[in-house]
Amino acid sequence: MVNGFIILFGLTMLYLAATSRIIAHIRVLIVQGFLLFLICMSGSEHMNWLNIAFLTIETLVVKSIVIPAFLYRVLRKTHSNRDVAANIPHFYCLVIASIILLAGFLLSNYYISSIKLISPMFFGVSAATIVISLWLITIKHKIISNVIEFITMENGIFLLSLSVAKEMPMLVNMGVLLDVFIAVYILGLFVNEINKEFNDLEVSHLSDLKDYEYND
């Protein structure tokens, strides 16, 4: 059952790479948060009640509800519905993301299968998620898209930590969660200011801000 949830998590990254609709990207975050909750609960017999409560809040509440709701609010204010100016067409994005995901499976089964502390399925999908997220950040032009891919990358890191140990340190979880929440909040404010100034959310406008400051 856990492997099925992990495979579904990996497939969400393919959907993220294939679509240009930003609202669909936010929905991917909701699905990923729910899948992470199911993955965590599948190994809950090895955890105490405090870890279970914290992981439930982190995955089901913050990742699936709070952060997507905040991004929905930013999306409504900026009216940025699609990211159609990517450097690579979305069909090729899907093909490349599929290759990365397949490579994650193959490499993890080949190199990680001999290490007992790390599950190849966990490691393969999480590593592929991190790589796909970083790659999408480099080719997307909308700032809000980069924010979403930053969150999917953190979800991949979260899944990777699950592959290393069944019971994660509480302080590490809290630190990662706090960093992500603050980063999303600050980036949301940043997106609003960029949209007010330029009525657009292209990453290229960041260089315009730099040039304007230099000329002053």
Side-chain angles (χ1 to χ4, degrees):
M1 184 65 70
V2 178
N3 289 341
F5 294 146
I6 298 173
I7 291 173
L8 288 176
F9 186 92
L11 293 178
T12 61
M13 294 304 300
L14 300 185
Y15 181 74
L16 187 71
T19 182
S20 63
R21 298 174 64 243
I22 297 179
I23 192 171
H25 294 183
I26 299 176
R27 289 169 181 166
V28 167
L29 296 182
I30 298 174
V31 174
Q32 285 189 351
F34 185 68
L35 288 173
L36 288 174
F37 167 75
L38 295 177
I39 293 171
C40 292
M41 292 304 103
S42 298
S44 60
E45 66 273 7
H46 303 286
M47 305 178 188
N48 57 46
W49 68 269
L50 188 60
N51 272 343
I52 293 175
F54 180 81
L55 290 175
T56 300
I57 295 174
E58 182 175 6
T59 56
L60 198 59
V61 178
V62 176
K63 291 181 179 295
S64 295
I65 299 176
V66 176
I67 291 178
F70 179 78
L71 292 175
Y72 271 127
R73 183 180 177 185
V74 172
L75 190 62
R76 286 196 301 268
K77 288 184 177 181
T78 58
H79 305 289
S80 179
N81 297 320
R82 289 181 179 271
D83 191 346
V84 295
N87 295 332
I88 301 175
H90 285 85
F91 173 76
Y92 295 108
C93 287
L94 175 61
V95 173
I96 295 173
S98 301
I99 293 173
I100 294 174
L101 186 61
L102 179 61
F105 279 116
L106 296 177
L107 291 176
S108 63
N109 284 318
Y110 185 77
Y111 289 105
I112 306 299
S113 57
S114 60
I115 303 177
K116 296 181 180 179
L117 295 178
I118 302 178
S119 169
M121 183 68 71
F122 273 97
F123 185 85
V125 174
S126 59
T129 298
I130 295 170
V131 173
I132 292 173
S133 298
L134 288 172
W135 173 65
L136 289 176
I137 288 174
T138 63
I139 67 171
K140 297 289 186 177
H141 286 192
K142 296 290 185 182
I143 298 174
I144 191 170
S145 295
N146 291 345
V147 173
I148 292 171
E149 278 122 26
F150 169 77
I151 300 171
T152 60
M153 181 178 66
E154 191 279 328
N155 287 341
I157 296 172
F158 183 90
L159 187 63
L160 181 61
S161 66
L162 288 177
S163 71
V164 177
K166 295 181 179 179
E167 188 171 351
M168 295 176 295
M170 182 70 68
L171 292 178
V172 174
N173 277 356
M174 293 180 65
V176 171
L177 181 61
L178 182 61
D179 288 343
V180 172
F181 188 79
I182 293 176
V184 170
Y185 182 75
I186 294 174
L187 287 172
L189 297 176
F190 180 65
V191 165
N192 283 332
E193 293 301 320
I194 291 293
N195 189 68
K196 289 178 183 178
E197 185 70 24
F198 294 102
N199 293 320
D200 198 0
L201 292 176
E202 293 289 338
V203 176
S204 59
H205 289 319
L206 298 180
S207 61
D208 295 339
L209 288 175
K210 182 179 179 181
D211 293 338
Y212 178 77
E213 183 181 356
Y214 179 79
N215 292 330
D216 286 348

